[in-house]
Amino acid sequence: MKSLHPDTIDQAASAVRRFGYDRSRLATGIVHLGLGAFHRAHQALYTEAAIARGDLRWGVAGVHLRGRRMADALAAQGLLYSVTERGAGEPATRIVGALRAAWFAPEQLATVLAALADPGVAVVTTTVTEKGYAPRPADGALDFQDPDIAHDLAHPEAPRSTLGLLAAGIAARAADAPLTLLCCDNMASNGDSLRRLLLQYAEAVNPALARRIDAEIAFPNTMVDRIVPAATPESLDWAASRLGLRDEAALVCEPFSQWVIEDRFAAARPEWEAGGALFTSDVRPFQALKLSLLNGSHSALAYLGQLRGRETVAEAMADAPLAAFVRRLMVDDLLPGLERPAGLDVPGYCRALIERFENPALGHRTRQIASDGSQKVPVRWLPALRRAAGTERPWLERALAAWLHYLCEERDEAGRALVIADPGAPMLAARLRAAGSARAAVAAALDALGMADSGAALSDRLARHLATLRNGGTTALFGRGIDASAATPPQPGGILP
């Protein structure tokens, strides 16, 4: 089978949607840091829609920070790739042309920095995950002990961190070249967080640079939502059968996509509304709802699913007691206290989330979602515990105990070894194992999470849940509140069916 390439695009299957603009006339107006699956199946498609309106200023130069394999794959395909939306109906495949470059920063640093300094680039977007900004989990401040940050502070002219690249690029920009930095990662107030962390870094490098960033750069907050599983050999083969061409960068994702953006830019921006983006003066209610209900529920499915041997989210949702647990977690513990965005049907949103989790076509792996928990748990679960103000949150507290058990045991309930991808996990796991009791382990965990002052009642409940897990596993943890014979427990307020 031939490979996807500009020379072969006309040989793609007739049902495949192709872009209609002239790529040779496409300028580079966006640099994106973190050219992974999510960006290519989310923000890049919104940009594609803006370009299709005839505005050819907004080609994307993508930057890989941690691996060159995908940069090489995209280069070999003339920077083309496909996205297939797969849900209950007929799959829909399209070829995306918005990419203008795919660079590997460690080997093409001068090129990346030149692009960041280019006055024709008006927007820099980022999807580098929470840990990519090097925040301390306990308080969100910059972790100056992070190896990449420490390196960049010593060698700011040769950065390898996200913040180091941004600072060096901004330092080289002309004073009259306005720039917007648009963080698209799952962090509360992500634009404000990026601004705070970048200013802390810049202050340590050059106070004058920090003042310039503070005065000149815009940092809108955003909320992004789409489930995009990592590609697998099976998904690539399936995509090739749809496309009629081999695409080593092919992505298969759900049909649902949402992007809410604070309308606060330094200068021009793409017409992302063409792809359905919503611009608003306040992203926070949307972001808090998504971080808590979608991401928070996803994390619970991931850790409990890993412990129960469920490879994918759909398999976890087919596990009746686990599915029932997650429904109760979402409605009883994560939703209370959240501000509800005006005009949003929150019960409908919850029902839609359950349907998205149940989608068997995606193959979204619980192992993928479980990665980097030491960065994700503080933003996905701890705000709900703090909102509770001492009130018991039984399902969320059980989920937190399950995460600690997952870190400490590193095996599922059948005795199979778990692969834990989280740079912060070894240190926390060592503290948990060194504790002489469940109570001591919980105390160590709460201290590491910045919740040492959360009160004896929460500590006691978490210790009981952790002891229950150690003695009886996840079924004992679920307890009588979950009916293992039914996929759906009684639902308060009729929010879920």
Side-chain angles (χ1 to χ4, degrees):
M1 181 179 287
K2 293 182 179 180
S3 295
L4 176 62
H5 189 271
D7 295 337
T8 63
I9 189 172
D10 290 339
Q11 300 175 40
S14 59
V16 173
R17 179 180 171 187
R18 299 159 175 80
F19 52 89
Y21 52 85
D22 182 357
R23 290 180 82 218
S24 68
R25 297 175 53 215
L26 193 59
T28 299
I30 301 171
V31 171
H32 181 80
L33 303 185
L35 188 60
F38 184 80
H39 170 76
R40 289 185 287 118
H42 189 273
Q43 299 101 52
L45 299 190
Y46 289 85
T47 302
E48 182 93 330
I51 295 170
R53 289 273 180 97
D55 192 346
L56 299 179
R57 293 176 295 170
W58 300 112
V60 180
V63 181
H64 295 273
L65 302 175
R66 292 291 177 260
R68 63 168 300 156
R69 184 190 66 81
M70 188 50 62
D72 291 343
L74 287 164
Q77 296 179 179
L79 302 171
L80 297 180
Y81 67 94
S82 65
V83 176
T84 300
E85 297 176 355
R86 193 176 185 189
E90 178 67 19
T93 301
R94 64 189 297 176
I95 296 172
V96 183
L99 275 182
R100 295 280 294 147
W103 298 314
F104 179 45
E107 296 179 5
Q108 297 169 284
L109 182 60
T111 301
V112 172
L113 292 178
L116 290 170
D118 182 356
V121 170
V123 179
V124 175
T125 53
T126 61
T127 50
V128 298
T129 75
E130 297 94 330
K131 68 180 179 181
Y133 306 98
R136 290 195 305 239
D139 60 9
L142 181 61
D143 182 2
F144 287 98
Q145 304 306 311
D146 177 89
D148 287 343
I149 295 297
H151 169 275
D152 290 0
L153 291 174
H155 308 283
E157 75 290 347
R160 62 190 190 196
S161 71
T162 301
L163 299 182
L165 282 170
L166 291 173
I170 292 168
R173 285 181 72 88
D176 58 350
L179 182 67
T180 299
L181 299 186
L182 199 65
C183 176
C184 300
D185 279 298
N186 287 318
M187 303 187 297
S189 302
N190 52 10
D192 296 336
S193 297
L194 173 56
R195 178 180 182 276
R196 182 182 66 253
L197 291 164
L198 184 57
L199 284 174
Q200 290 176 14
Y201 172 85
E203 185 68 33
V205 171
N206 181 350
L209 176 61
R211 291 192 294 272
R212 180 181 174 189
I213 291 171
D214 186 37
E216 299 178 8
I217 309 298
F219 295 84
N221 294 300
T222 71
M223 185 278 279
V224 297
D225 190 0
R226 177 168 244 185
I227 296 173
V228 186
T232 65
E234 294 77 17
S235 73
L236 292 176
D237 289 344
W238 184 87
S241 71
R242 290 276 312 168
L243 186 62
L245 297 167
R246 187 70 190 179
D247 177 7
E248 297 300 332
L251 296 169
V252 179
C253 62
E254 66 172 341
F256 180 89
S257 182
Q258 187 179 28
W259 196 8
V260 183
I261 308 169
E262 184 181 11
D263 198 0
R264 181 163 54 91
F265 285 72
R269 63 163 177 82
E271 191 182 350
W272 284 316
E273 299 96 327
L278 171 66
F279 286 84
T280 179
S281 62
D282 189 1
V283 171
R284 289 173 298 175
F286 296 92
Q287 194 173 56
L289 200 72
K290 187 257 181 174
L291 276 171
S292 190
L293 299 185
L294 188 151
N295 298 122
S297 299
H298 244 175
S299 288
L301 279 168
Y303 298 122
L304 286 160
Q306 283 275 284
L307 291 171
R308 290 170 72 85
R310 310 308 180 202
E311 185 176 349
T312 69
V313 172
E315 289 175 7
M317 289 301 294
D319 180 340
L322 177 50
F325 178 93
V326 168
R327 286 177 165 89
R328 300 306 296 251
L329 168 74
M330 182 186 295
V331 176
D332 293 356
D333 287 3
L334 294 175
L335 181 58
L338 287 173
E339 181 181 351
R340 304 189 180 201
L344 182 67
D345 174 10
V346 175
Y349 179 80
C350 292
R351 289 191 294 270
L353 286 179
I354 295 299
E355 293 174 1
R356 293 166 65 191
F357 293 164
E358 291 173 339
N359 183 355
L362 290 182
H364 200 186
R365 298 180 183 274
T366 53
R367 174 179 163 185
Q368 178 188 352
I369 301 165
S371 65
D372 299 327
S374 61
Q375 296 290 335
K376 294 175 179 176
V377 164
V379 297
R380 297 183 179 189
W381 289 352
L382 300 192
L385 287 178
R386 294 188 176 102
R387 287 197 304 272
T391 303
E392 182 179 5
R393 291 286 183 257
W395 316 111
L396 182 55
E397 291 166 12
R398 284 173 169 84
L400 183 55
W403 176 57
L404 300 180
H405 186 67
Y406 158 91
L407 291 178
C408 192
E409 296 299 316
E410 294 186 340
R411 290 188 177 276
D412 69 13
E413 293 181 336
R416 294 178 293 245
L418 297 172
V419 178
I420 297 178
D422 180 0
M427 183 178 297
L428 179 54
R431 292 185 66 178
L432 296 173
R433 295 190 192 103
S437 65
R439 185 177 299 276
V442 165
L446 291 176
D447 179 62
L449 293 170
M451 294 190 64
D453 60 350
S454 55
L458 174 62
S459 297
D460 289 345
R461 292 193 298 269
L462 287 172
R464 287 199 302 273
H465 295 323
L466 186 56
T468 297
L469 269 168
R470 290 174 172 177
N471 295 326
T474 54
T475 298
L477 178 74
F478 293 159
R480 290 192 299 272
I482 293 293
D483 179 1
S485 68
T488 308
Q491 300 300 326
I495 285 184
L496 294 177

